[in-house]
Amino acid sequence: MKEKIFYYVVIPVIALAAVIGFVVLASFSAENSAIGKEESIASAKSGISKEEQRRVDLFSNMVDAVQSYNDHEAETLKNVTDARAKAQSGDVEGAKSALNVLVEAYPEIKSQTNYSQAMKEFSITENRLAEYRDNYNQSVKTYKRYVRKFPTRLFLSWRGYEVSEYEYLDFKVDNSKATNLFK
């Protein structure tokens, strides 16, 4: 009699408790994973914001540096032109000393290098920004897939978890306005 009670009552109760325990643990695990994926999206979005700020800072700093050096070059060119005028008027010694001062003070005119460096930095920043955007979209894709799958969707609804709506970033570029840039 005791064996029948054990087989018909105790074993099914233990099995039912194990199944319920597994479902409860699985629902907690599903919620924790969804929260982790949300954090991954937030981190990716933060990376985009950080890189966009870097781009703004870089742009401001580079414009200031290039403009400053352009002003320097304009002054240097004016001094060279003045030295040439002195030479043409017969004051060769004055022209020579003016040019020597310029050559010693400014051995290399660098604005072309500054422009090249600015373009290189912008290119690096844009590439990094594209990677951050792609990372964000991948995180959103992973999250959306996860919360829609069965049985995760069921576990999350049991836990009262509210699925967040994230949109993919659309970074289409309108190149129609990028014409005649160097007029």
Side-chain angles (χ1 to χ4, degrees):
M1 182 71 146
K2 285 185 177 183
E3 283 183 22
K4 287 184 180 180
I5 292 175
F6 183 76
Y7 285 113
Y8 292 116
V9 176
V10 175
I11 290 181
V13 168
I14 291 173
L16 182 61
V19 167
I20 291 172
F22 174 76
V23 169
V24 169
L25 288 176
S27 69
F28 279 110
S29 176
E31 185 176 21
N32 289 340
S33 292
I35 290 169
K37 291 178 187 334
E38 281 184 344
E39 290 300 318
S40 178
I41 291 170
S43 176
K45 191 170 188 173
S46 172
I48 292 169
S49 297
K50 176 186 66 111
E51 202 60 29
E52 286 175 340
Q53 184 61 49
R54 180 182 187 271
R55 179 174 56 180
V56 168
D57 293 344
L58 176 65
F59 181 77
S60 297
N61 291 339
M62 286 301 205
V63 166
D64 289 346
V66 169
Q67 183 61 48
S68 173
Y69 209 88
N70 283 347
D71 293 344
H72 158 72
E73 282 185 358
E75 182 182 328
T76 303
L77 184 58
K78 179 186 174 297
N79 291 340
V80 168
T81 306
D82 290 346
R84 182 181 297 150
K86 284 181 183 181
Q88 288 175 344
S89 69
D91 186 9
V92 176
E93 282 303 313
K96 182 180 175 187
S97 65
L99 281 176
N100 283 338
V101 168
L102 283 171
V103 169
E104 287 175 16
Y106 312 109
E108 184 181 345
I109 295 178
K110 297 181 181 180
S111 73
Q112 185 61 35
T113 304
N114 288 347
Y115 285 119
S116 296
Q117 184 62 31
M119 297 315 292
K120 181 180 177 183
E121 288 296 323
F122 283 122
S123 177
I124 290 169
T125 300
E126 289 303 319
N127 288 338
R128 288 173 52 169
L129 192 52
E131 287 179 27
Y132 280 113
R133 287 174 177 154
D134 187 51
N135 184 35
Y136 175 85
N137 282 344
Q138 288 298 326
S139 296
V140 169
K141 180 180 179 181
T142 300
Y143 174 78
K144 284 184 172 192
R145 278 185 180 169
Y146 182 76
V147 298
R148 290 188 296 200
K149 284 183 178 179
F150 181 82
T152 304
R153 182 181 58 223
L154 182 64
F155 291 152
L156 292 176
S157 69
W158 286 346
R159 299 272 315 134
Y161 177 83
E162 291 185 30
V163 174
S164 298
E165 286 298 319
Y166 294 103
E167 297 298 321
Y168 293 109
L169 293 179
D170 182 21
F171 38 99
K172 292 180 185 170
V173 177
D174 180 13
N175 287 329
S176 66
K177 295 179 183 168
T179 59
N180 301 320
L181 297 175
F182 300 104
K183 272 190 165 179

